[in-house]
């Protein structure tokens, strides 16, 4: 990949399947774009790249690399930004540790991740690593609000070629369980600041001593500031009850969290679930597990590995086996390999796991390799009702029919780190009983909570400018679509009540109150399902977390995947961020490539983002040729869908590399046939001719590469040359796209 200091378009270097696909697709993009005088460079925001950039003093000159995330963070605050952002790893601790270990094996003299830092040096190292964990990328780059929807061509194809949906039985035992008290939702407090302020967060112990948890937090005037906590005792009681209730119901036990994005709170919640499921083991062997370095927050898989070093290893393992046998069967991530719902915190991410279960008719895979109904445990009740209502709707009305279903678009509030995302640095596991207070610089106590040791306290904020921009974006989108539009806000919830103090006056000022509904999430879910079952369109206007959840839920049901969404971020200071869909980075796709040299990743999201990026560039830079390129991208994307050239899941059939070849063919043909720019038509005519005449040879060369293991030189930090060789195996295609 090439790197220009100031490229017209920045194409992000990321992780896993999207990055493998980039090795094949990016050379095509750069070759075509150069004909319009458009430069396309890269910036490395991969997990490995961010780790390397964080420790320059530990590395050799050749190993060091720039902090590309910081550079992009500065760029997206300028009108010149034009960034195509692919999905990146939002690392859990196990993923972070695995990436560090791999880099160390490649000769990078990086420090180990300190699980329990005991010195100032270790605490400093831990702080650097913790800045990389979770959703470290998105809050930096998302300097605008989100506009996500299925492109018309993608939606039309999904209706004409509906994906398989599981059968929903009215008597399905699949259900959602959530807390009714003691959780983040019930303990939330919120206030809007009338003037700019600086705050500190402090814990006042029972003896009156004060520990500052975080200070110098600056808030501009008009900021909505929230604070809440999860009671550890209430959580443990709830989880124990759910283990018992699941066994009584005869269904699978599953917990659904967001241990990647919610990088502080949700791994702790996950650890509580592991302890609740293995309660007798922790009661008997808690000290032994601690001595062995077992951390339940890292999951059952890590715990089992740690236990092997204990003098009581056999005894503890036997106790674990007994507990597993006596408890309800677990929802499985991979029943063939014995990987359970509790093995790795980043394996079961709520916004992907529950929609997939709903798509499958409410069934999850059990340890016996068979499908079964499932108790979906979602501890915090903030948005559990969305999934509960979706499941209830399917029990009542059956599975959604993708061939006739309408669509739910999303306008999401996320700019400038808006809302209650758990990746923010103001989440704490409370060390002792006392009172947590948010104290403003004028001495005012903004929020306070009585807490106990082990409780999880967090604060988040949402600035006025992003809220106003979000409401205006919703107004603009509704005017374009002229369809149902719903603000998913619950006036009985503290945070939402503060947002509504902005939303209602802004709608009234614009004279569009009658164009929008304001509904709590459960009611909004019901209304949206009613609309799309009738083939209609609804715009979900939501906060940050629901933006994330809904842009997986509805696309997975409508399209079969969330990776094909058109995702545009109109940056608040000008510029554009074009995200390549709402999907994750597909680790299972990498596994298949390594084992069989077949990559089933679908780059349709990249195609959609590329077209929007080029057309935006044409608009702001006055580059008419870029507009021609962008329009031709749309035609090429339509060709991929119409000619069924998307990747297959099975080895020996066309994969991601084939789809890139056909995209290049259709793109060149569209450019050669257009009449808006004679120079471009003349330039691409021979390219289109060569790609077409050599189709059989190119397809044969791509097919010949499949079937054997592929060595890419690393998982988190693959070797560029090896990856290029694997992902560009057609010498004929490479000669044409040179």
């Amino acid at each position: 990949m090439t790197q220009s200091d100031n490229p017209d378009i920045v194409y992000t270097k990321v992780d896993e399947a999207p990055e493998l696909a980039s090795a094949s697709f990016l050379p095509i993009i750069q070759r075509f774009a150069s004909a319009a005088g458009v430069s396309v460079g890269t910036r490395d925001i991969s997990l490995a790249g961010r780790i390397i950039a964080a420790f320059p003093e530990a590395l050799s000159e050749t190993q060091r690399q720039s902090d590309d995330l910081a550079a992009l963070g500065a760029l997206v605050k300028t009108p010149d930004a034009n960034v195509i952002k692919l999905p990146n790893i939002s690392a859990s601790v196990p993923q972070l540790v695995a990436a560090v270990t791999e880099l160390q094996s490649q000769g990078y003299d990086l420090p180990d991740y300190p699980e329990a830092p005991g010195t100032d040096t270790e605490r400093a190292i831990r702080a650097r690593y913790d800045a990389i964990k979770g959703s470290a990328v998105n809050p930096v780059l998302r300097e605008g609000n989100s506009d996500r929807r299925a492109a018309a061509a993608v939606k039309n194809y999904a209706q004409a070629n509906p994906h398989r949906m599981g059968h929903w039985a009215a008597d399905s035992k699949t259900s959602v369980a959530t807390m009714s008290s003691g959780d983040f939702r019930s303990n939330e407090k919120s206030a809007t600041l009338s003037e700019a302020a600086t705050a500190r967060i402090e814990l006042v112990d029972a003896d009156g001593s004060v520990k500052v948890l975080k200070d110098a937090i600056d808030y501009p005037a008009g900021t909505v500031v929230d604070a809440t906590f999860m009671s550890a005792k209430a959580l443990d009681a709830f989880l124990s009850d759910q283990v018992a209730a699941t066994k009584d119901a005869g269904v699978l036990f599953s917990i659904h969290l967001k241990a990647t994005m919610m990088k502080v709170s949700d791994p702790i919640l996950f650890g509580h679930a592991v302890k609740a499921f293995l309660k007798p083991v922790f009661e008997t062997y808690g000290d032994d597990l601690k001595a062995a370095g077992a951390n339940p927050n890292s999951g059952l898989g890590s715990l089992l590995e740690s236990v092997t070093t204990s003098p009581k290893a056999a005894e503890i393992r036997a106790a674990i086996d007994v507990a597993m046998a006596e408890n309800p069967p677990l929802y499985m991530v991979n029943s063939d390999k014995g990987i359970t719902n509790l093995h790795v915190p980043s394996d079961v991410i709520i916004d992907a796991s529950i929609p997939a279960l709903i798509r499958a008719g409410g069934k999850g895979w059990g340890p016996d390799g068979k499908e079964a109904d499932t108790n979906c445990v979602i501890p915090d009740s903030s948005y559990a009702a969305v999934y509960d209502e979706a499941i209830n709707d399917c029990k009542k009305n059956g599975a959604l029919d993708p061939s006739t279903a309408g669509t739910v678009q999303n306008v999401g509030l996320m700019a400038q780190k808006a809302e209650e995302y758990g990746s923010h640095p103001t989440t704490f596991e409370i060390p002792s009983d006392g009172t947590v207070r948010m104290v403003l610089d004028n001495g005012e106590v903004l929020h306070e909570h009585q807490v106990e040791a082990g409780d999880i306290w967090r604060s988040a904020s949402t600035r006025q400018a992003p809220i106003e921009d979000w409401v205006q974006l919703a107004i603009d989108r509704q005017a374009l679509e002229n369809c149902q539009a719903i603000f998913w806000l619950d006036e009985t919830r503290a945070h939402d009540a503060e947002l509504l103090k902005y939303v209602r006056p802004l709608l009234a000022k614009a004279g569009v109150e009658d164009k929008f509904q304001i509904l709590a999430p459960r009611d909004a879910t019901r209304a949206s399902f009613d609309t799309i079952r009738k083939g209609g369109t609804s715009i979900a206007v939501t906060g940050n977390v629901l933006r994330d959840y809904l842009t997986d839920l509805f696309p997975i049901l409508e399209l079969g995947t969330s990776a094909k969404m058109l995702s545009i971020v109109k940056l608040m200071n000008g510029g554009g961020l074009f995200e390549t869909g709402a999907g994750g980075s597909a680790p299972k796709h990498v596994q298949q490539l390594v084992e069989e040299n077949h990559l089933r990743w679908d780059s349709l999201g990249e195609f959609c983002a590329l077209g929007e990026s080029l057309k935006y560039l044409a608009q702001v830079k006055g580059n008419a040729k870029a507009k021609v390129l962008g329009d031709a991208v749309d035609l090429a994307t339509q060709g991929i869908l119409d000619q069924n050239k998307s990747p297959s899941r099975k080895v020996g059939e066309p994969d991601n590399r084939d789809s890139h070849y056909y995209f290049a063919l259709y793109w060149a043909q569209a450019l050669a046939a257009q009449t808006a720019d004679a120079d471009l038509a003349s330039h691409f005519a021979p390219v289109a001719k060569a790609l077409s005449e050599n189709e059989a040879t190119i397809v044969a060369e791509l097919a010949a590469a499949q079937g054997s293991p592929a060595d890419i030189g690393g998982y988190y930090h693959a070797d560029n040359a090896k990856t290029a060789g694997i992902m560009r195996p057609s010498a004929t295609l490479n000669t044409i796209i040179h």
Side-chain angles (χ1 to χ4, degrees), residues 26 99 135 147 167 179 244 470 476 509 514 529 611:
L26 187 56
S135 183
D147 175 5
H167 172 72
M179 297 172 72
W470 169 62
D476 294 343
K509 183 178 179 181
D514 60 330
F529 268 91

Side-chain angles (χ1 to χ4, degrees), residues 539-666:
I539 301 173
V541 189
T542 72
N544 201 350
V545 176
L546 268 181
R547 169 203 58 80
D548 202 30
Y549 289 3
L550 298 189
T551 53
D552 274 303
L553 174 60
F554 288 107
I556 284 173
L557 299 182
E558 294 176 32
L559 312 175
T561 176
S562 58
K564 299 179 181 180
M565 291 287 282
L566 180 62
S567 184
I568 300 171
V569 181
K570 185 179 179 182
L571 299 171
M572 291 177 61
N573 292 328
L577 176 69
F578 306 93
E579 298 184 298
T580 63
S585 42
K588 289 183 179 179
H589 293 198
V590 183
Q591 179 183 347
Q592 185 180 21
L593 177 91
V594 170
E595 293 175 354
E596 302 176 334
N597 202 351
H598 180 93
L599 184 66
R600 65 178 188 259
W601 176 261
D602 191 338
S603 291
L604 196 64
E606 289 98 290
F607 302 159
C608 292
L610 174 64
E612 293 297 321
S613 172
L614 286 165
K615 285 181 280 187
Y616 176 77
L617 179 70
Q619 176 187 339
V620 298
K621 299 288 189 181
N623 185 335
K625 291 182 183 297
K627 173 69 162 55
V628 174
L629 281 184
D631 289 341
V633 164
D634 292 345
L635 294 174
T637 303
Q638 189 67 60
I640 291 290
L641 295 171
D642 291 345
Q643 302 302 320
N644 194 25
K645 297 301 183 182
S646 296
S648 165
R649 299 175 66 86
K650 296 181 180 180
V651 66
E653 297 179 358
D655 76 347
N656 176 267
R657 293 163 288 195
D658 294 84
S659 72
H660 291 164
Y661 156 64
Y662 282 106
F663 181 87
L665 170 62
Y666 301 149

Side-chain angles (χ1 to χ4, degrees), residues 286-347:
D287 291 340
D288 300 292
L289 290 168
K290 186 175 181 180
N295 181 1
N297 295 5
S298 295
L300 179 58
S302 174
L303 185 148
L304 291 171
E305 185 176 340
S306 298
V307 162
T308 60
T309 65
S310 172
K312 297 183 180 179
E315 200 176 321
I316 296 172
R317 184 58 199 253
I320 291 173
D321 290 342
V322 169
M324 297 288 283
E326 292 181 348
N327 278 332
L330 282 169
Y331 169 105
M332 302 296 287
V333 171
N334 190 324
S335 54
D336 292 338
K337 297 186 177 182
I339 301 174
T340 74
N341 171 248
L342 295 177
H343 259 67
V344 182
S346 57
D347 269 355

Side-chain angles (χ1 to χ4, degrees), residues 188-209:
E188 186 175 75
K189 298 180 180 181
S190 186
T192 301
L193 300 178
S194 59
E195 56 187 38
T198 300
R200 69 178 183 276
I201 302 169
E202 60 186 28
L203 172 63
V204 183
D205 289 339
D207 62 3
S209 61

